[in-house]
Amino acid sequence: MNISVDLTLSPLQDDYEQHVIDFIKALRDSEFKVLENPLSTQIFGDFDLLMPFLNQKIKESFQNQDICVLTMKVVKTDRSNYEPHF
């Protein structure tokens, strides 16, 4: 089953920018398709492969920060090729 995941990492500390960059780079280095925009990062793949990967990368990111918020939306389909029709 393919999924699309929308992630927004929000470290609550002064040096937040480097933590966000490191997290995005870790996602980019994966086998999964990754799309970015100024507000969030999307990653697409098979549920059984993607979720354990995200679990590990989120845990690693959290271990390197004092306080952090991660907002995640999961859609049960691959929306990586979405194009607006209006």
Side-chain angles (χ1 to χ4, degrees):
M1 163 182 34
N2 287 325
I3 60 171
S4 304
V5 182
D6 183 85
L7 301 160
T8 303
L9 183 72
S10 303
L12 302 178
Q13 53 197 60
D14 291 337
D15 63 340
Y16 67 91
E17 191 170 321
Q18 190 59 52
H19 293 287
V20 173
I21 291 168
D22 292 343
F23 184 68
I24 292 171
K25 284 183 176 180
L27 299 181
R28 285 180 184 165
D29 287 341
S30 72
E31 64 187 88
F32 304 104
K33 182 172 185 177
V34 176
L35 299 176
E36 302 163 34
N37 66 57
L39 299 176
S40 65
T41 302
Q42 294 83 41
I43 188 165
F44 309 89
D46 180 83
F47 183 91
D48 291 329
L49 301 174
L50 182 52
M51 293 307 285
F53 168 78
L54 286 176
N55 187 52
Q56 182 61 35
K57 294 306 169 188
I58 293 167
K59 182 177 181 179
E60 289 172 7
S61 182
F62 279 10
Q63 288 174 330
N64 293 325
Q65 301 173 64
D66 294 327
I67 302 173
C68 185
V69 175
L70 178 85
T71 304
M72 180 168 64
K73 294 183 271 185
V74 181
V75 179
K76 184 187 163 192
T77 188
D78 183 340
R79 302 293 291 163
S80 62
N81 295 318
Y82 171 77
E83 301 238 356
H85 298 258
F86 53 88

